[in-house]
Amino acid sequence: MPITTKQLLGIMDLNEAKRIKEILAERGVAIELGHNKQTCTRGCRVTVEVWGELEDLPKIQELLREEQAKLLEDLDFDPEQSAEVFDANKETAVCPACGTRFSTDLKECPDCGLVFVSEDGAG
């Protein structure tokens, strides 16, 4: 199956990219692994570019979500919590590090001490 409408999916460790390629092949999805001197590395940790068809992106994303869920299943980690953004214009914020809800009058989490800085660099 020749890949004609390619999309760069990312840069991955070569062994991990080969593993993902095999799993996707079992699901009828072809991806290409390529070396680009500008983005890929050689040596102790070889990386390659991973390319796929635009029409296959939903299937590829599904597999990558499954793989991420496997990595996170035994960890005390909430991806939604880590996406929290400190907004000084709101009354309260949720710390993306520990999940504590606190007043935005504070510029650091009262539980874990994570410091929040505004876009202008002021605390």
Side-chain angles (χ1 to χ4, degrees), residues 18-108:
K18 287 180 178 179
R19 188 180 74 78
I20 295 295
K21 183 177 181 175
E22 287 178 19
I23 295 170
L24 285 169
E26 291 171 4
R27 297 180 183 194
V29 176
I31 60 172
E32 289 183 3
L33 309 182
H35 182 269
N36 178 336
K37 290 181 183 180
Q38 302 296 324
T39 60
C40 301
T41 62
R42 295 188 185 270
C44 295
R45 184 170 177 260
V46 178
T47 60
V48 293
E49 289 184 350
V50 179
W51 292 81
E53 287 277 1
L54 288 174
E55 65 189 33
D56 291 329
L57 285 180
K59 292 178 183 177
I60 294 167
Q61 289 170 329
E62 178 183 349
L63 172 65
L64 295 177
R65 278 191 296 273
E66 290 170 11
E67 292 293 310
Q68 181 184 34
K70 286 179 196 175
L71 290 172
L72 299 177
E73 70 186 353
D74 292 331
L75 300 176
D76 185 19
F77 176 76
D78 179 357
E80 289 184 28
Q81 175 184 306
S82 68
E84 289 288 340
V85 176
F86 181 85
D87 184 348
N89 296 319
K90 293 186 177 178
E91 275 188 47
T92 62
V94 175
C95 177
C98 70
T100 300
R101 182 170 294 282
F102 61 96
S103 168
T104 54
D105 292 338
L106 302 173
K107 298 305 177 207
E108 77 176 50

